[in-house]
Amino acid sequence: MKIGFTYDLRREYTALGFSDEETAEFDSDVTINAIEGALQGLGHDVLRIGNIYELTRQLAAGNRWDMVFNISEGLYGAARESQVPALLDAYRIPYTFSDPLTLAVSLDKAVAKKLVQHAGVPTPEFFVIQSLDDIRHEKRVRKNIFPLFVKPLTEGTGKGISAESIVWDLAAFTKQCGNLLGRFGQPVLAESYLPGREFTVGITGTGEHAECIGVMEITLNKEAEPAVYSYLNKEFYEERVVYSLIEDKDIISEASDIALRAYRILGCRDAGRVDLKADPQGKLSFLEINPLAGLHPVRSDLSILCGKTGVPYTALISRIVESALERVRGVLEPVDA
Ligand SMILES: Nc1ncnc2c1ncn2[C@@H]1O[C@H](COP(=O)(O)OP(=O)(O)OP(=O)(O)O)[C@@H](O)[C@H]1O
Ligand SMILES: [Mg+2]
């Protein structure tokens, strides 16, 4: 198959002057080479496209592909992950992973939480702060709601998340909201702090065919910033984080049930990762979903999880392509050489 490949290569953006933080979600040459190598190993002809600007140029020039392997995160706006898939939909070119609607609702953590909560999936109570004025007017900001966890509404990769994300009183809450509003120029999500164990669940497939690859616990050791799987803990995970595959059947059942329900409710496709945390009684809740989970062959949580369950990287990429192909089988037109 002739597979186009859309992605945001981090070094291209840093060369243009974008900061490390602005480009934190973008991919390295290691990831791009690994995906390309896996696709070639599966017998596909891979044509690198790159970011949305290059895709636009190539579409205008008349280039077409049987399918696009899309991991583009986008740069601007709360629907930035939806932009490449929306363009591909307009040209009726099939692509891997979720559609524009799913990517947009999943990126906005409050919208995703409302949708899963509506369907009965447990998730911490929350509210959104648009400006510091909201804190004065927000009736739910009372003494007894603390501790709260605060984070940017539409970010990933631990951006804006540190030990300061856990706030124990109004002064710390106001300070941290002010920091995040100024630094990220977007609303802040405030939710109940869950102090229990943390898990991430890997999923491949779509709809009824979606299945859980495994449940992995994230434990922080003493070199880590305490209590939070933060930006810095993710960055220096080799020294700070311990990843363990869960064998306990009860935890697997509770975690995979929440994760698969959230994945299906939000309409995720092909593969993704769902983050869960426990309350003091050990009951699990949905924190967030990653329909474009990182695919660095060594560093990304999904790859680490696959490694522990005996799913080789090429097999993961193969499952993603096969899942995408199930959608288009029968309607895929051969492309002229
Ligand atoms: N309500 C909460 N209570 C306790 N800890 C939380 C809560 N929300 C988030 N965290 C901690 O912060 C971390 C990052 O939060 P979250 O997964 O929402 O951010 P992210 O940047 O989108 O992550 P990813 O890197 O998976 O994209 C979680 O893995 C968890 O350790
Ligand atoms: Mg997360």
Side-chain angles (χ1 to χ4, degrees), residues 121-122 199-204 207-208 210-217 245-265 272-277 283-286 289 305:
V121 173
F199 304 93
T200 193
V201 183
I203 296 174
T204 51
E208 285 311 302
E211 56 184 14
C212 171
I213 311 170
V215 179
M216 187 169 79
E217 180 163 13
L245 193 65
I246 295 298
E247 313 267 357
D248 180 310
K249 288 203 171 54
D250 291 339
I251 298 179
I252 293 174
S253 155
E254 185 183 352
S256 58
D257 176 62
I258 293 176
L260 279 169
R261 275 158 69 202
Y263 186 89
R264 290 181 178 131
I265 289 157
R273 238 191 54 236
V274 182
D275 294 341
L276 309 174
K277 214 161 184 306
K283 187 177 171 304
L284 293 178
S285 279
F286 168 92
I289 193 157
L305 172 54

Side-chain angles (χ1 to χ4, degrees), residues 9-320:
L9 185 56
R10 190 174 190 183
R11 68 173 163 74
E12 287 180 352
Y13 290 87
T14 47
L16 292 171
F18 289 97
S19 68
D20 281 353
E21 186 163 75
E22 284 169 315
T23 58
E25 296 203 83
F26 293 171
D27 286 295
S28 63
D29 289 290
V30 175
T31 305
I32 306 308
N33 292 339
I35 294 172
E36 181 183 59
L39 290 170
Q40 287 168 339
L42 294 165
H44 300 298
D45 188 9
V46 182
L47 295 114
R48 289 190 183 207
I49 299 169
N51 65 19
I52 189 162
Y53 308 110
E54 188 54 35
L55 174 64
T56 311
R57 273 191 283 278
Q58 295 205 19
L59 286 169
N63 293 3
R64 300 292 183 266
W65 311 269
D66 294 318
M67 174 175 284
V68 168
F69 195 98
N70 171 48
I71 57 164
S72 174
E73 301 270 350
L75 192 56
Y76 298 117
R80 58 188 180 272
E81 291 181 355
S82 311
Q83 292 162 353
V84 163
L87 205 47
L88 293 170
D89 275 343
Y91 282 82
R92 305 198 68 202
I93 297 171
Y95 53 90
T96 58
F97 298 110
S98 299
D99 74 4
L101 180 64
T102 294
L103 291 169
V105 300
S106 303
L107 191 59
D108 185 317
K109 289 178 175 155
V111 175
K113 281 163 66 70
K114 275 180 208 160
L115 291 172
V116 302
Q117 193 177 48
H118 182 76
V121 173
T123 189
E125 286 303 317
F126 67 101
F127 53 90
V128 174
I129 297 293
Q130 307 275 351
S131 70
L132 286 182
D133 270 354
D134 280 0
I135 297 180
R136 276 193 291 281
H137 299 130
E138 177 55 67
K139 290 191 192 59
R140 282 167 292 188
V141 183
R142 300 173 315 262
K143 261 195 181 144
N144 63 356
I145 58 165
F146 295 103
L148 287 176
F149 196 94
V150 291
K151 53 187 169 184
L153 186 65
T154 59
E155 293 297 342
T157 322
K159 282 169 76 173
I161 293 178
S162 68
E164 272 83 60
S165 305
I166 308 167
V167 293
W168 295 85
D169 56 37
L170 183 59
F173 178 57
T174 308
K175 183 170 172 227
Q176 190 60 6
C177 285
N179 284 343
L180 294 178
L181 289 167
R183 196 163 129 207
F184 293 99
Q186 60 179 271
V188 170
L189 177 73
E191 62 181 2
S192 311
Y193 171 59
L194 296 180
R197 293 169 74 180
E198 173 156 359
F199 304 93
T200 193
V201 183
I203 296 174
T204 51
T206 303
E208 285 311 302
H209 299 293
E211 56 184 14
C212 171
I213 311 170
V215 179
M216 187 169 79
E217 180 163 13
I218 288 144
T219 321
L220 303 172
N221 62 29
K222 60 180 189 322
E223 279 76 39
E225 233 180 331
V228 184
Y229 191 26
S230 62
Y231 184 78
L232 289 176
N233 288 342
K234 285 172 203 249
E235 186 72 17
F236 302 111
Y237 75 98
E238 291 100 329
E239 302 92 57
R240 298 181 175 203
V241 186
V242 177
Y243 300 97
S244 349
L245 193 65
I246 295 298
E247 313 267 357
D248 180 310
K249 288 203 171 54
D250 291 339
I251 298 179
I252 293 174
S253 155
E254 185 183 352
S256 58
D257 176 62
I258 293 176
L260 279 169
R261 275 158 69 202
Y263 186 89
R264 290 181 178 131
I265 289 157
L266 295 169
C268 294
R269 309 194 305 204
D270 304 338
R273 238 191 54 236
V274 182
D275 294 341
L276 309 174
K277 214 161 184 306
D279 69 8
Q281 287 71 43
K283 187 177 171 304
L284 293 178
S285 279
F286 168 92
L287 284 185
E288 61 125 9
I289 193 157
N290 300 282
L292 287 179
L295 285 174
H296 188 289
V298 178
R299 300 180 59 89
S300 291
D301 290 355
L302 188 59
S303 308
I304 296 172
L305 172 54
C306 283
K308 290 184 183 297
T309 53
V311 176
Y313 188 74
T314 304
L316 171 64
I317 301 298
S318 169
R319 284 192 199 183
I320 292 165

